[in-house]
């Protein structure tokens, strides 16, 4: 191995082991957990857990913004909440049709392009279209009857509004205490990089979704999400690290999910576990992406099992295989479209 190869390998290993700073405040994690707990408990109380995915995706609106100051944070959350609602709406309509499997791939690629463009243009934190792709592909893939469409849309909208409302309340308290310190927005990528990001995110999602759909796997949306996940990082080294984190974290998360699903927990107990996992995820995701996946994986599988129970071995096996396949597609796209160091302008470099 050449000296350059060994050096790249060492920096990749360092990236995989890297532990970032803790979140600025724990309240974002508390909000995320409380929002999901209230939403899913409400659905359970009216025997409507089949709408749990719509509630989960609505709750994601409250996790955007990071340490951005008050005015920018709530506007970002309202905007992303609106896009999440639009993704859930269009994809739930797709799910009423018989050809939903292939239309889910189309929807995923389209929302990947929209999310990539909006993320770079408006400096989303967390960056990238992952949550939009997750919402669009999941809701398009799971069959739904026409009479449940409006209910799913209403649940998503109500949960997003509640999540954003809690976030606004939090930052209003921060402002009164003088704790809302302005944070500079990260630099905007160049126009060329923004165009590249839109294309490669859409292509990665389309290829992963088409591969899994054509070969008959049960949850192609997991592959589509895994395909776009590495592309939310900027440099090739960071993208490879994110892809490896995705696979290894999912492997550990599948084992944890299996243990949790074997426990004789009632639905309400599962909901409490899901809410705790959501809060813990928000506490660790900025520190190490692989560790976050150990928590995100059982969260997703528990919500899936609550809404549409299926054999445990099939559920866990599908999650692992489709994640590996999707990550492989995403990393292949990252390598083929990598930005050469000499071509990176100062505005392109991550903050």
């Amino acid at each position: 191995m050449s000296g350059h190869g060994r050096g790249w390998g060492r920096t990749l290993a360092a990236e995989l082991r890297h532990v970032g700073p803790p979140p600025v405040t724990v309240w974002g994690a508390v909000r995320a957990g409380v929002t999901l707990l209230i939403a899913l408990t409400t659905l359970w109380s009216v025997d409507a857990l089949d709408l749990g995915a719509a509630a989960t995706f609505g709750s994601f609106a409250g996790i955007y913004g990071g340490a951005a100051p008050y005015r920018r944070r709530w506007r970002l959350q309202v905007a992303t909440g609106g896009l999440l609602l639009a993704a859930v709406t269009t994809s739930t309509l797709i799910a009423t049709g018989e050809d939903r499997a292939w239309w889910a791939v189309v929807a995923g690629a389209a929302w990947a392009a929209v999310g990539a463009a909006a993320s770079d243009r408006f400096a989303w934190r967390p960056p990238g279209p992952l949550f939009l792709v997750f919402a669009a592909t999941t809701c398009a893939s799971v069959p739904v009857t026409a009479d449940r469409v409006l209910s799913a849309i209403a649940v998503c909208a109500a949960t997003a509004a509640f999540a954003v409302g809690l976030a606004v309340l939090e930052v209003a308290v921060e402002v009164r205490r003088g704790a809302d310190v302005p944070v500079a927005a990260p630099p905007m990528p160049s126009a060329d990089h923004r165009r590249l990001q839109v294309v490669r995110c859409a292509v990665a999602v389309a290829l992963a979704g088409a591969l899994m759909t054509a070969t008959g796997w049960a949850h192609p949306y997991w592959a589509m999400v895994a395909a776009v996940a590495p592309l939310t990082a900027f440099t090739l080294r960071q993208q490879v690290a994110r892809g490896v984190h995705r696979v290894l974290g999912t492997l550990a998360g599948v084992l944890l999910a299996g243990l949790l699903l074997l426990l004789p927990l009632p639905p309400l107990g599962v909901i409490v576990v899901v809410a705790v996992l959501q809060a813990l995820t928000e506490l660790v995701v900025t520190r190490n992406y692989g560790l976050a996946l150990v928590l995100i994986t059982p969260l997703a599988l528990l919500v899936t099992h609550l809404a549409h129970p299926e054999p445990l071995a099939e559920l866990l096996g599908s999650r692992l295989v489709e994640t590996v396949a999707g990550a492989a597609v995403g990393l292949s796209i990252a390598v083929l479209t990598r930005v050469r160091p000499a071509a990176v302008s100062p505005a392109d470099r991550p903050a």
Side-chain angles (χ1 to χ4, degrees):
M1 181 183 290
S2 68
H4 175 73
R6 287 194 297 271
W8 200 90
R10 285 195 295 270
T11 56
L12 174 60
E15 189 74 39
L16 290 170
R17 296 192 303 268
H18 176 69
V19 177
V24 176
T25 173
V26 301
W27 290 113
V30 173
R31 281 192 288 101
V34 168
T35 299
L36 201 51
L37 176 64
I38 292 175
L40 293 179
T41 302
T42 301
L43 292 177
W44 168 77
S45 69
V46 295
D47 195 24
L49 280 175
D50 59 304
L51 302 176
T56 301
F57 297 131
S59 73
F60 288 163
I63 68 175
Y64 283 91
Y70 168 68
R71 287 183 177 83
R72 185 174 183 277
R73 200 187 313 177
W74 76 261
R75 288 172 181 167
L76 175 58
Q77 289 166 345
V78 169
T80 51
L83 286 174
L84 286 164
L85 177 60
V88 168
T89 299
T90 56
S91 298
T92 303
L93 289 170
I94 288 172
T96 62
E98 294 182 359
D99 299 325
R100 58 183 169 272
W102 285 103
W103 279 109
V105 178
V106 175
W111 281 106
V114 170
S119 177
D120 282 347
R121 174 65 181 83
F122 298 105
W124 286 3
R125 287 297 178 269
L130 188 146
F131 290 117
L132 282 178
V133 172
F134 194 10
T137 55
T138 302
C139 292
S141 300
V142 180
V144 65
T145 55
D147 62 309
R148 297 297 276 170
V149 171
L150 289 179
S151 297
I153 295 170
V155 166
C156 181
T159 308
F162 182 72
V164 175
L166 284 182
V168 170
L169 179 62
E170 177 192 336
V171 293
V173 172
E174 290 177 358
V175 170
R176 289 180 64 88
R177 293 171 51 212
D180 192 44
V181 180
V183 177
M188 182 183 297
S190 68
D192 286 344
H193 182 268
R194 295 201 300 272
R195 285 191 290 268
L196 172 64
Q197 184 70 343
V198 168
V199 172
R200 65 183 178 183
C201 285
V203 170
V205 169
L207 285 178
L211 175 64
M212 293 294 100
T213 301
T215 51
W217 285 90
H219 306 90
Y221 48 91
W222 287 337
M224 289 187 265
V225 173
V228 83
L231 299 175
T232 59
F234 185 78
T235 67
L236 180 60
R237 186 184 70 249
Q238 292 168 339
Q239 290 164 350
V240 172
R242 180 147 292 204
V244 173
H245 274 153
R246 187 92 196 177
V247 172
L248 296 181
T250 296
L251 175 60
V254 162
L255 296 176
L256 177 57
L259 293 174
L260 292 172
L261 288 167
L262 286 174
L263 296 176
L265 292 174
L268 193 56
V270 175
I271 290 170
V272 172
V273 172
V274 165
V276 171
L277 288 171
Q278 175 76 320
L280 291 175
T281 297
E282 292 305 308
L283 287 176
V284 304
V285 70
T286 59
R287 310 211 71 187
N288 187 276
Y289 187 65
L291 179 57
L293 260 296
V294 177
L295 303 170
I296 293 169
T297 299
L299 189 161
L301 292 174
L302 288 171
V303 171
T304 299
H305 195 70
L306 268 178
H308 305 280
E310 57 186 279
L312 182 57
E314 293 179 16
L315 181 68
L316 300 181
S318 179
R319 175 73 180 199
L320 184 57
V321 170
E322 295 188 49
T323 296
V324 171
V329 170
L331 288 176
S332 298
I333 296 294
V335 170
L336 292 172
T337 62
R338 62 189 181 276
V339 179
R340 303 291 181 178
V344 180
S345 69
D348 288 334
R349 299 186 188 278

